[in-house]
Every structure is written in C-alpha cells, then in structure tokens.
Amino acid sequence: MSHAAPARGTTGRSHPTSHHPALSRASIGWPLLLAVLYGCWGATMQRDAGPITWRNVLFGIGSGLVVGVLAFVLHKGMTPAIPREARAAVWAVFGGAIFGYLHSLSGASILRCVGLGLALGVAVFVSVFYRYYTKEPAPEGSQR
C-alpha cells in the first residue's frame, strides 16, 4: 500500500493553531484605515461647515488615534478562547458607540444618536457573530 508524500515545499508538520500572527498587514491595516476615516469624519463633523481650524485638525487626529488604538487592542486582545457571543458583543458596543458619538457632533437629538448607534451595533453584532461562527472551528465539546 502506498502513502501520499507531502506536497512540495511542505514539511509535513502541523501549523500553529494561532490565526493571528504577531503583526500582520490586516492587524495593522484595518485599524489604521478606520482611524484615518474616523478622524477625517470627526474633524468634518466638528467643523460644521465653518473654516478649517487647528482645533478641528487636532480633534480629528486625536479621535482617530483613540479609535485606531482601541480597534487594534480589541483585535489583538480577543482570542478564540473568548466565546463568540462575547467577542461579537464587544465589537457591537465599540461600533455603536463610536458611530453614535460622531453622529452627536452633527447636533442631532440624543434619542436619534442612541437609536442609530443601537441600530449599527445590532448590525455589527450580527455580521461579526456570523463571521466568527462560519470561519472558526467549533470549540471543544460543542456541536454546531
């Protein structure tokens, strides 16, 4: 009986179980993109169609840095050991809060800001939970 040989370029060893390398392009790239977009949007909302001032620019840089660092820390800190529901809930709270805050800069009522933040949070929860549920292996001892 013959056995299949390992494919060219492979050693036959198993790969590490970690899905998140120390610093990959995605782990730095998407928080950086989010920070830039959030900072630009925040500076524009705070400016309120007036002239561009240093205060607007500093607000955009500061808010972008805070959101980018929080997104990076959440992305790197949440391991697959944490239940999917909890990870999806954390991302939902994060997304809803940052969106609700930026919408509040437009001068809208607090109820509208909270409502839109909740709506976005629910959408983030559903999409992130779906991603975790379909792309990660099932935890030990559970059935799908």
Side-chain angles (χ1 to χ4, degrees), residues 4-138:
R8 181 178 283 188
T10 63
T11 61
R13 294 185 215 146
S14 64
H15 297 287
T17 59
S18 172
H19 294 278
H20 301 287
L23 290 176
S24 65
R25 284 187 200 178
S27 69
I28 293 175
W30 83 262
L32 183 63
L33 178 65
L34 181 65
V36 169
L37 292 175
Y38 192 84
C40 290
W41 189 16
T44 303
M45 294 301 288
Q46 204 239 4
R47 183 170 72 104
D48 196 26
I52 297 173
T53 64
W54 281 105
R55 183 174 182 225
N56 305 130
V57 173
L58 291 176
F59 179 80
I61 291 170
S63 62
L65 273 172
V66 168
V67 167
V69 167
L70 282 173
F72 179 77
V73 168
L74 287 176
H75 179 65
K76 297 309 283 181
M78 288 197 293
T79 64
I82 300 171
R84 295 176 182 135
E85 297 85 5
R87 285 185 286 156
V90 168
W91 283 115
V93 168
F94 178 69
I98 65 173
F99 181 78
Y101 174 70
L102 272 189
H103 190 64
S104 73
L105 293 176
S106 70
S109 72
I110 188 69
L111 291 177
R112 183 171 178 172
C113 298
V114 169
L116 287 174
L118 283 173
L120 185 85
V122 168
V124 168
F125 178 83
V126 169
S127 61
V128 171
F129 180 76
Y130 177 78
R131 185 199 180 282
Y132 287 151
Y133 191 78
T134 58
K135 300 294 183 190
E136 292 181 352

